[in-house]
Amino acid sequence: MNVLHTSDWHIGRTLCGRKRYEEFEAFLGWLAETIRRTEIDVLLVAGDVFDTGSPSNRAQAIYYSFLRRVASSSCRHAVIVGGNHDSPTFLEAPKTLLEALDVHVIGCASEDPEDEVLVLRNGRDAPELIVCAVPYLRDRDVRAAEAGESVADKERKLVDGIRDHYAAVAAVAERRRAELGEDLPIVVLGHLFAA
């Protein structure tokens, strides 16, 4: 199985006030051609698809045109998670429609770690890969604010919350693998700052 990972496209970003749509189109055209030429089976996109939470119509057209090209290639699945620049609700709005193209979008964190574990299936409907698709975890996703917290307390709780979230998603993936009775590979995909 050929898997390609990419992230941080920031479609719509300007440079010194200059629109860069042609650059985004060129990059995604190259990426679509690379997927076709190298016969990629699964595309993983680890967030920051767009540069803002409300991308322009042209930025959206570039994105959806790329997804259409990928869906008509050898690529059986695309998995996209939201980044800190993306609007979780905007990314997830066409989720049901995109699933018909085998494009799986997880824009925001879920209270149920089951929602962030995908079992990808091949053309014979046999499981072939488990993907832990963890979007950017915002502070409110992983910790509750408490009166009188110090900055150090907030940072510690944030780190602990992120660690616990990933551990919970990984545990679901391990359980699914055991339920399926196969030694399926597990890939963890996420958008986060790490040190």
Side-chain angles (χ1 to χ4, degrees):
M1 174 183 303
N2 292 324
V3 177
L4 189 148
H5 166 270
T6 180
S7 70
D8 294 274
W9 298 343
H10 290 273
I11 301 172
R13 175 174 251 165
T14 60
L15 182 62
C16 297
R18 182 176 167 268
K19 303 283 185 195
R20 302 171 57 210
Y21 293 120
E22 293 80 14
E23 294 173 40
F24 295 116
E25 289 171 335
F27 165 69
L28 291 174
W30 170 84
L31 185 57
E33 178 57 25
T34 299
I35 289 168
R36 185 201 62 75
R37 189 182 74 256
T38 59
E39 299 178 348
I40 296 300
D41 301 303
V42 178
L43 172 67
L44 303 176
V45 183
D48 283 353
V49 172
F50 297 105
D51 195 52
T52 68
S54 54
S56 70
N57 289 342
R58 184 149 181 211
Q60 293 176 57
I62 291 168
Y63 171 63
Y64 292 118
S65 176
F66 169 76
L67 293 180
R68 182 187 51 76
R69 286 183 69 183
V70 169
S72 65
S73 73
S74 64
C75 189
R76 291 191 296 278
H77 298 279
V79 178
I80 301 167
V81 298
N84 56 305
H85 281 250
D86 296 311
S87 162
T89 54
F90 179 85
L91 274 186
E92 286 198 353
K95 184 176 184 162
T96 305
L97 180 62
L98 291 175
E99 283 175 355
L101 299 174
D102 288 319
V103 175
H104 313 277
V105 178
I106 307 292
C108 60
S110 172
E111 290 183 16
D112 185 354
E114 296 269 348
D115 297 338
E116 295 174 23
V117 178
L118 307 171
V119 177
L120 304 184
R121 297 178 177 276
N122 63 21
R124 297 178 311 280
D125 201 36
E128 62 180 343
L129 180 68
I130 297 173
V131 177
C132 299
V134 182
Y136 178 73
L137 300 172
R138 289 167 167 76
D139 189 71
R140 68 179 177 267
D141 296 329
V142 294
R143 73 171 196 92
E146 295 179 23
E149 284 181 306
S150 70
V151 171
D153 289 337
K154 290 178 185 179
E155 289 176 359
R156 180 184 44 77
K157 287 180 180 179
L158 179 62
V159 169
D160 290 346
I162 291 169
R163 180 184 305 111
D164 293 346
H165 187 94
Y166 273 87
V169 171
V172 169
E174 291 286 354
R175 189 178 74 243
R176 286 225 184 126
R177 177 163 56 186
E179 290 168 357
L180 291 166
E182 299 182 32
D183 192 25
L184 292 171
I186 296 175
V187 172
V188 180
L189 173 68
H191 186 94
L192 71 157
F193 299 99

